[in-house]
Amino acid sequence: MNLPELGTFLRTRRARITPAEVGLIGGSRRRVPGLRREEVAHLAGTSVDYYIELERGRGSQPSAQVLAAIARALRLDADEHDHLFLLAGRTAPASHGTVAHVQPAMLALLDRLDSTPARIITDLHETLAQNRPATALIGPSTDGSYVYRWFTDPASRSIYPVADHPHHARVLVHDLRAAVARRGHDAESMEMVVRLRRTSEEFAALWDTGDVAVRRGDRKRIIHPELGIIDIHCQNLFSEDGRQRLQFYTAPAGSPAVEQLRLLSVIGVQALTEPSFR
């Protein structure tokens, strides 16, 4: 671990990022090039004091999750992402999972969807980043795979009408089978399948059908605590290797969801008293 070098690296990366690149308003009284330290901390979801200590080359060793969040905030490319981990004394992560490198182009697109609920997820449905409209619509992001939570935690289904649960269960399993094959049946995805088969009879029955289909788009009904049921389209844009996808929600033209999403941008996250699960 080389905290002084880590601090220097963070300062130089911060200086080259403009507010517009991360969806912030620049203003006319900025005294420093690039982003302010408080802005990086906000984008990464860390405390300002903690981030300042990192830039000063002091403090405790950051976790892999914190490093991944800072890498996304600073729009680091793949080599810079791995270098950041090495300076912090962490092993550079594999190309998947919640600490995986997210392509800057995909993050840039997420930043520009400031009025459209959107997020970036892995092929195992782990949330890597999401914008504020997505948090207002489906609740705060949570750790781990949503596919796994769907079949092991009944509360994870609470934002969908009960009548829709069988459909979503089928779609998730079909999409997971495609992801497992695309990964070459690697250890991470196969371990998830084995664990789910052991703990969920519903998953085991669906898996044994052998059905497969990549989830490119779907119609979803989401239960919002203030706005009721929102009937919307959910679409996916995939990275070149299929390991990550930008998922965004839009209202069908002329539907009640158009006004509901407009109101959602006004309500924001203030009405969310308990975390949801998507």
Side-chain angles (χ1 to χ4, degrees), residues 122-125 174-186 189 212-216 238-245:
T122 71
D123 55 349
L124 298 183
H125 292 255
H174 298 172
D175 187 73
L176 177 62
R177 183 179 292 278
V180 171
R182 194 165 50 242
R183 285 166 168 254
H185 296 78
D186 66 351
S189 60
V212 58
V214 176
R215 189 180 197 176
R216 295 182 174 86
F238 293 82
S239 62
E240 187 174 354
D241 63 3
R243 290 290 185 92
Q244 296 176 8
R245 62 189 71 173

Side-chain angles (χ1 to χ4, degrees), residues 189-204:
S189 60
M190 288 307 301
E191 180 185 1
M192 179 187 295
V193 171
V194 170
R195 290 173 63 193
L196 283 170
R197 285 180 60 86
R198 289 174 179 170
T199 57
S200 171
E201 292 182 0
E202 180 188 18
F203 175 86

Side-chain angles (χ1 to χ4, degrees), residues 5 18 20 25 28 31 41-42 62 75 95 108 117 122 132 152 163 165 178 187 189 193 202 230 235 255:
E5 184 65 23
T18 66
I25 299 175
S28 58
R31 298 180 179 178
H42 171 72
R75 301 305 189 258
S95 59
T122 71
R132 287 181 60 83
T152 60
H165 291 181
S189 60
V193 171
E202 180 188 18
I230 306 176
Q235 302 293 330
S255 72

Side-chain angles (χ1 to χ4, degrees), residues 19-20 23-27 30 36 39:
L24 298 176
I25 299 175
R30 303 183 71 88
R36 299 186 178 98
E39 291 169 335

Side-chain angles (χ1 to χ4, degrees), residues 113-241:
L113 296 175
D114 54 355
S115 61
T116 300
R119 59 184 176 171
I120 299 170
I121 63 175
T122 71
D123 55 349
L124 298 183
H125 292 255
E126 303 154 314
T127 300
L128 300 176
Q130 70 180 35
N131 61 15
R132 287 181 60 83
T135 300
L137 177 65
I138 60 180
S141 62
T142 51
D143 294 332
S145 167
Y146 181 65
V147 178
Y148 187 81
R149 291 198 308 276
W150 176 271
F151 290 101
T152 60
D153 179 10
S156 67
R157 306 183 178 201
S158 62
I159 67 168
Y160 296 116
V162 174
D164 297 351
H165 291 181
H167 167 75
H168 292 306
R170 287 193 302 272
V171 169
L172 287 171
V173 173
H174 298 172
D175 187 73
L176 177 62
R177 183 179 292 278
V180 171
R182 194 165 50 242
R183 285 166 168 254
H185 296 78
D186 66 351
E188 182 185 18
S189 60
M190 288 307 301
E191 180 185 1
M192 179 187 295
V193 171
V194 170
R195 290 173 63 193
L196 283 170
R197 285 180 60 86
R198 289 174 179 170
T199 57
S200 171
E201 292 182 0
E202 180 188 18
F203 175 86
L206 289 170
W207 186 261
D208 289 344
T209 66
D211 293 339
V212 58
V214 176
R215 189 180 197 176
R216 295 182 174 86
D218 204 355
R219 190 78 172 261
K220 288 189 175 185
R221 295 192 299 162
I222 295 176
I223 303 172
H224 189 273
E226 300 294 324
L227 301 177
I229 294 180
I230 306 176
D231 192 340
I232 53 179
H233 289 304
C234 176
Q235 302 293 330
N236 294 284
L237 295 177
F238 293 82
S239 62
E240 187 174 354
D241 63 3

